Amino acid sequence: MHGAVSLARLDGGQIRSDLLELLACPKCRAALMEDADGLRCTGCAATYDVKQGIPVLVPDDVNTVHLEEEHNLALMMKSREQLPEERFNLGQWSLSKREFWAMVRSVVNDSPPKRFVNIGCGFDPSCAEFERLGHTFVNLDLVFDMLAQLRSDCGAASCVNGDVNRIPLKAGAFDYVVSIDLIHHECERLPELLGSFRDLLKPKGILFLEDPNAWGLFQMAKSIFMPRFAYRSLRSAYHTLKRSTHRPADYEFPTNVWRVMALLRELGFENIRCYPHTAYPTVSERSYRMYRSLSGSEFVRKYHNYHYMLSAVRA
Ligand SMILES: [Zn+2]
């Protein structure tokens, strides 16, 4: 499988055999093998490129509107300058990520080495820490440039370019599935998406999920009680007026923590646990002081933060 010819033709790097084993054809789910031009499906014979050591497993019929939006969002998120007015929020964003990964660390069993996948990873360098500990950590994203940068800046060994609607990874192969700020991008098809996360896990594998919370203290009036189309138009007008550096795409909508927990239960997850957040990344310092005064209650920090974060075990 690792003949000299195929390696020479894989444009800047071979795929590690442990990664190749984890890949599946996005069209028919069969295993992939290396051939002279990249990768070939052992089921439907579809062929896929490998660029800079990254398998490109985006299906031909990917939603190109989403692809373009995701590309722009990723660039925006990455290039937000440290404008003085953004400093407080950016600090809160990074605190919320630190809190998320602290939750993961508190649950993950370090030995023996485990398999992780971060679905819709964007530019999240956390993979490096887990790789250092000897785990396999797959970074999956629709935006190729994010992955190329993860490889060059953080040495990420296992990157896969693919679509969350057709996850090109082997079922039942992972100990941990990580999904951060992703599922609200596919809020119209939550049951299917969460079902596909479950399918990636081994029995007793754990899903770690974080997403903007429809029940967040400062967003629930809009996201729970206002019709979606009105919410979207208001949000769009607001970001235009404010000339925001980060403007959510139209198809994004906060997810409902209670509904997501109920869906996970229906999908066969157990031990579903929410964790408290202290960071509230989208409000002014003044509103944040109000949140702090209410967030003495763990309930508020778990269920009425901007994000909810949870772990759930596949039965
Ligand atoms: Zn196939």
Side-chain angles (χ1 to χ4, degrees):
M1 257 200 313
H2 290 273
V5 176
S6 76
L7 296 191
R9 297 190 59 172
L10 287 182
D11 183 21
Q14 70 188 83
I15 303 183
R16 293 158 46 133
S17 57
D18 57 348
L19 177 58
L20 183 60
E21 260 171 48
L22 295 174
L23 302 179
C25 174
K27 290 179 186 153
C28 76
R29 319 255 346 122
L32 301 179
M33 56 180 283
E34 283 182 297
D35 81 357
D37 299 313
L39 295 170
R40 174 179 296 276
C41 174
T42 55
C44 70
T47 56
Y48 300 97
D49 286 340
V50 177
K51 291 195 292 188
Q52 301 169 42
I54 302 172
V56 179
L57 304 179
V58 179
D60 312 328
D61 59 348
V62 64
N63 183 328
T64 49
V65 176
H66 274 219
L67 179 57
E68 202 176 310
E69 286 274 13
E70 292 302 319
H71 192 249
N72 292 337
L73 282 174
L75 290 178
M76 254 189 288
M77 290 302 273
K78 182 118 207 320
S79 66
R80 282 170 91 181
E81 298 297 322
Q82 294 278 346
L83 301 169
E85 66 270 25
E86 296 268 359
R87 197 166 298 145
F88 176 73
N89 283 161
L90 287 170
Q92 291 286 306
W93 275 111
S94 42
L95 175 59
S96 81
K97 295 301 156 261
R98 287 202 297 281
E99 292 185 311
F100 177 85
W101 287 106
M103 165 189 68
V104 173
R105 267 182 235 113
S106 74
V107 174
V108 163
N109 176 354
D110 273 344
S111 74
K114 300 291 197 296
R115 284 188 191 139
F116 289 72
V117 56
N118 185 355
I119 300 177
C121 59
F123 186 79
D124 188 332
S126 312
C127 49
E129 172 193 339
F130 293 97
E131 288 193 326
R132 266 198 307 278
L133 292 169
H135 300 294
T136 298
F137 196 109
V138 176
N139 301 283
L140 175 76
D141 206 280
L142 185 56
V143 181
F144 181 85
D145 298 351
M146 290 291 114
L147 298 169
Q149 197 148 11
L150 264 185
R151 267 180 86 81
S152 62
D153 295 9
C154 314
S158 306
C159 293
V160 178
N161 186 205
D163 182 3
V164 299
N165 297 306
R166 223 81 70 67
I167 298 175
L169 297 170
K170 203 167 128 191
F174 292 87
D175 300 282
Y176 303 111
V177 168
V178 174
S179 163
I180 304 172
D181 290 344
L182 168 78
I183 65 172
H184 67 288
H185 289 222
E186 304 291 341
C187 56
E188 312 292 348
R189 47 181 301 281
L190 280 186
E192 295 86 348
L193 188 62
L194 296 172
S196 67
F197 294 174
R198 176 205 54 203
D199 294 345
L200 289 173
L201 286 166
K202 301 174 182 172
K204 303 295 167 201
I206 301 177
L207 168 67
F208 295 107
L209 182 70
E210 178 182 86
D211 205 60
N213 183 6
W215 286 94
L217 207 57
F218 299 97
Q219 63 253 25
M220 76 177 134
K222 293 169 289 183
S223 55
I224 297 290
F225 302 113
M226 191 183 279
R228 272 188 196 191
F229 70 92
Y231 176 96
R232 286 183 169 126
S233 341
L234 273 181
R235 178 173 68 182
S236 162
Y238 168 82
H239 285 285
T240 306
L241 282 172
K242 205 177 155 221
R243 301 200 176 125
S244 305
T245 48
H246 171 61
R247 175 201 290 256
D250 260 356
Y251 53 79
E252 290 183 55
F253 201 82
T255 51
N256 180 330
V257 56
W258 305 107
R259 177 165 176 244
V260 168
M261 286 197 294
L263 277 173
L264 291 173
R265 236 169 269 126
E266 278 168 35
L267 289 164
F269 283 94
E270 53 190 26
N271 296 334
I272 300 164
R273 244 188 92 185
C274 270
Y275 297 73
H277 254 308
T278 56
Y280 205 115
T282 55
V283 293
S284 65
E285 266 183 280
R286 189 202 232 157
S287 306
Y288 185 67
R289 280 198 291 275
M290 183 173 127
Y291 171 72
R292 290 293 282 184
S293 66
L294 289 167
S295 66
S297 138
E298 191 168 292
F299 190 85
V300 170
R301 285 182 281 130
K302 278 182 181 172
Y303 303 108
H304 295 290
N305 185 272
Y306 176 77
H307 289 108
Y308 59 90
M309 59 176 177
L310 59 81
S311 64
V313 179
R314 179 180 181 172

